Amino acid sequence: QVQLVESGGGLVQAGGSLRLSCAASGSIYSINAMGWFRQAPGNERELVAVITRGGSTNYADSVKGRFTISRDNAKNTVYLQMNSLKPEDTAVYYCNTRNARGSWSLSWGQGTQVTVSS
């Protein structure tokens, strides 16, 4: 099983930036891709960005051009650089891992709160 610890959230004004980090430990050999999700109050959890072990990335349309996902395989850490933040980006952000079969883990970290004020 993989354990995940997210950090880097906070309160920022619209137009500002934040960088989130997620450190993975445990059964990291099973990780094929890592991703960032977010959940705003009253909304379902949504996938924001994914990065594979080889470095391929995908983004939700709502964050394309503003967010960048990256990873440091040596540190088993994934990052989410968020620029030009908008109030609608306010949510709890979670990272997760995907195995080679394409399944996301059922285990989640505690998440990190991002609040963007207008």
Side-chain angles (χ1 to χ4, degrees):
Q1 200 166 10
V2 177
Q3 291 78 46
L4 302 166
V5 178
E6 301 97 337
S7 62
L11 173 64
V12 64
Q13 288 188 330
S17 298
L18 283 174
R19 187 193 194 208
L20 307 183
S21 299
C22 172
S25 61
S27 302
I28 56 175
Y29 60 87
S30 65
I31 299 173
N32 179 261
M34 296 184 74
W36 284 97
F37 292 73
R38 67 186 181 186
Q39 187 168 20
N43 291 356
E44 293 187 353
R45 194 168 297 184
E46 63 171 345
L47 180 60
V48 174
V50 182
I51 185 166
T52 67
R53 182 174 292 275
S56 297
T57 59
N58 272 298
Y59 298 91
D61 288 343
S62 58
V63 307
K64 280 181 182 176
R66 301 187 297 121
F67 290 11
T68 302
I69 189 171
S70 61
R71 65 188 291 173
D72 184 333
N73 289 334
K75 295 182 178 180
N76 300 311
T77 299
V78 64
Y79 305 97
L80 186 67
Q81 178 66 44
M82 306 186 294
N83 299 327
S84 302
L85 283 161
K86 304 175 181 180
E88 51 263 44
D89 295 318
T90 296
V92 179
Y93 283 72
Y94 302 87
C95 66
N96 204 335
T97 61
R98 192 174 70 194
N99 60 25
R101 296 186 300 275
S103 298
W104 291 99
S105 171
L106 297 178
S107 298
W108 295 86
Q110 82 287 353
T112 185
Q113 175 72 48
V114 171
T115 303
V116 184
S117 63
S118 58

